[in-house]
Amino acid sequence: MTPAAQLASLLLEHLGIATKPDLRSLCKQLGLRIKEVPLTGAHGALVRSKNAPKGIISVKSSLPELAQKRFTVAHEIGHFIIPYHKNLGSVCDARALGRFSMSMPRAELEANEFAAELLLPAKLVSAALQLKSPSLETISRVAADFDASLTATTWRYLDLTDQPCAMIWSHKGNASWYRTSDALPIQLPLQDLPAPQSIAGRLFAGKQPSGAGPIDPHLWFNAPDAENIQALIEDSLHILRYNAVLTLLWATGTNRLVAAEEEELLPELTPEEFSLGRKLWPR
């Protein structure tokens, strides 16, 4: 679990929340209000009080899905709670919410990781996600049960599983970003993905329905890494609303893999350290 996700877990523990969180109630405890407004170019914004640990979270009223609105609120709570984020701007680019690419701005990635744990607490979802058996069908059911986005729930799966997996988000036929689990520490050739022969590529071409099946590792990985993967399962889902495909890869046999470079995120935090000199933790 990343440091930002750990901080969300500590917050839930501190507030005694052991079920799917009610975000309006949680915000009230934190001194936050939620308002739906006609934002342009952004899904959400956080306006802080200068004189007290309070604020207003603005959510784009025209967002079509409850899961998007909940993730936006959780993302802004992350900005409110993570200590150094108080120095950031108030408006979040719509392109940042729900993405988990290591190439995106550090603070936005941390807020997304915080939001994913807040909405999908590890203690509640680990068993339901069936961490030994990667499947977008299973992940979709958990996402629906927790009113969470499919991308956030898939990222949560990668964060919790010990299986060598990767998720790739492709839009209009081109891969936009990806994340891998700790057990698959390699880089993907993003600019070349998805390959036309992959399930994702065939979905964009309208040549087959969404689903899972064995695939040649060379279609997704660079040659040295692909040769160290004995077998690869691709599970791809065509999301017509966004003209996008979400792909989950599962390497069922791997040899030695080369680790990708990791970005340093937040230091370890505890409720006691975080509350020292601050008043963001409700009493």
Side-chain angles (χ1 to χ4, degrees):
M1 188 184 297
T2 67
Q6 290 172 9
L7 188 53
S9 180
L10 290 170
L11 175 63
L12 291 172
E13 181 180 345
H14 185 83
L15 297 178
I17 298 174
T19 59
K20 182 174 76 174
D22 179 330
L23 293 186
R24 289 194 177 275
S25 175
L26 190 154
C27 282
K28 186 175 181 181
Q29 290 178 277
L30 292 173
L32 293 168
R33 287 191 295 135
I34 302 172
K35 293 179 63 177
E36 292 198 15
V37 295
L39 292 174
T40 302
H43 283 180
L46 170 65
V47 180
R48 300 173 184 267
S49 169
K50 294 183 178 180
N51 302 316
K54 297 181 179 181
I56 298 174
I57 293 174
S58 297
V59 180
K60 187 174 183 178
S61 55
S62 61
L63 289 177
E65 300 172 1
L66 174 61
Q68 285 182 298
K69 292 182 178 180
R70 281 176 57 81
F71 192 89
T72 299
V73 171
H75 177 99
E76 300 302 340
I77 293 173
H79 283 316
F80 185 72
I81 291 294
I82 297 172
Y84 82 92
H85 288 202
K86 66 181 179 180
N87 299 318
L88 303 176
S90 62
V91 178
C92 291
D93 190 325
R95 294 170 295 181
L97 274 82
R99 295 182 56 174
F100 296 94
S101 168
M102 293 300 289
S103 64
M104 66 189 295
R106 168 181 168 173
E108 296 304 322
L109 175 58
E110 289 171 347
N112 283 346
E113 291 174 336
F114 180 99
E117 165 63 20
L118 190 71
L119 297 174
L120 298 152
K123 293 179 180 178
L124 299 182
V125 303
S126 292
L129 284 172
Q130 300 179 30
L131 298 176
K132 297 291 185 182
S133 303
S135 164
L136 284 181
E137 183 178 357
T138 300
I139 292 171
S140 296
R141 286 199 298 267
V142 174
D145 289 344
F146 282 81
D147 293 321
S149 71
L150 183 57
T151 52
T153 311
T154 306
W155 179 86
R156 204 74 192 95
Y157 185 93
L158 265 63
D159 191 37
L160 297 172
T161 187
D162 61 2
Q163 301 298 304
C165 296
M167 64 181 292
I168 303 96
W169 178 264
S170 302
H171 180 242
K172 295 183 178 179
N174 298 301
S176 302
W177 57 270
Y178 74 92
R179 286 298 300 270
T180 64
S181 66
D182 289 342
L184 192 69
I186 58 179
Q187 295 179 338
L188 277 66
L190 196 64
Q191 69 279 3
D192 299 326
L193 303 177
Q197 304 93 332
S198 67
I199 295 175
R202 295 199 296 268
L203 285 172
F204 278 120
K207 293 181 179 179
Q208 75 173 75
S210 299
I215 200 79
D216 183 349
H218 290 85
L219 296 177
W220 287 101
F221 300 101
N222 289 315
D225 295 322
E227 290 157 9
N228 285 320
I229 296 174
Q230 299 166 19
L232 184 69
I233 302 296
E234 176 186 344
D235 191 355
S236 285
L237 176 65
H238 199 181
I239 306 173
L240 297 176
R241 178 194 293 271
Y242 301 109
N243 191 12
V245 171
L246 177 64
T247 297
L248 178 66
L249 301 177
W250 179 19
T252 58
T254 60
N255 299 321
R256 179 180 176 275
L257 298 172
V258 178
E261 292 184 4
E262 293 186 358
E263 179 181 354
E264 181 183 356
L265 297 181
L266 291 170
E268 296 291 331
L269 292 168
T270 66
E272 292 76 17
E273 290 171 342
F274 181 58
S275 62
L276 186 62
R278 299 171 59 89
K279 295 183 179 179
L280 291 185
W281 289 99
R283 297 183 182 277

